[in-house]
Amino acid sequence: MTTQSHPVDHELVEAAAEVARTRCRGDNHTMAAAARADDGRIITAVNAYHFTGGPCAEMVVIGAAAAQGAYRLDTIVAVGDRDRGVVPPCGRCRQVLLDYFPAIEVVVGQGDRVRAVPVAALLPESYVWADHQVEDD
């Protein structure tokens, strides 16, 4: 399967990198995410690691966006602390992103190979939760 990549939102990547550099501290906050809302705003967040399984930065940014009235996100990226660069979303985040924002672009790749791809390309043959809901008659 060939995945067509789209132009990378470098401002978004830099926003996440800046949060990773300045706000990630210790073991509790090691990843930053930035998402571009459909109105152009950039929303940022960090993960909340916990040994019981805490929310990834992508999940926190979805909640932060909703708290700010941004319910449609166009693009998202996660960046690791300690200059780890762009980090692709985990499987759970990929599924949630697909279910919440089926048209969202996800920035993946490293260095000069960073690219934006549709979230569906990260989940071939994916399960789409909305497709399996029973409609009330």
Side-chain angles (χ1 to χ4, degrees):
M1 175 171 123
T2 302
T3 301
Q4 182 178 3
S5 61
H6 300 98
V8 174
D9 185 338
H10 292 286
E11 182 183 22
L12 192 67
V13 176
E14 182 50 40
E18 177 67 15
V19 171
R21 275 191 302 274
T22 61
R23 300 290 184 244
C24 289
R25 298 280 188 263
D27 293 336
N28 293 334
H29 309 293
T30 59
M31 295 290 297
R36 177 142 343 245
D38 67 343
D39 64 6
R41 285 184 288 162
I42 293 177
I43 290 92
T44 60
V46 298
N47 70 318
Y49 176 79
H50 191 264
F51 74 90
T52 61
C56 297
E58 295 94 334
M59 297 299 97
V60 178
V61 87
I62 290 170
Q68 296 175 42
Y71 298 102
R72 290 188 299 272
L73 303 179
D74 293 334
T75 310
I76 193 166
V77 64
V79 173
D81 66 348
R82 294 168 283 150
D83 295 319
R84 290 184 289 145
V86 172
V87 177
C90 72
R92 177 182 66 170
C93 289
R94 292 174 191 212
Q95 185 67 53
V96 172
L97 288 168
L98 179 70
D99 288 335
Y100 273 54
F101 313 105
I104 198 168
E105 298 283 321
V106 181
V107 178
V108 296
Q110 288 291 312
D112 62 351
R113 294 187 3 229
V114 71
R115 63 199 183 283
V117 298
V119 68
L122 300 177
L123 285 167
E125 303 293 327
S126 61
Y127 172 88
V128 178
W129 182 78
D131 291 346
H132 301 278
Q133 301 310 301
V134 177
E135 293 184 27
D136 292 330
D137 292 331

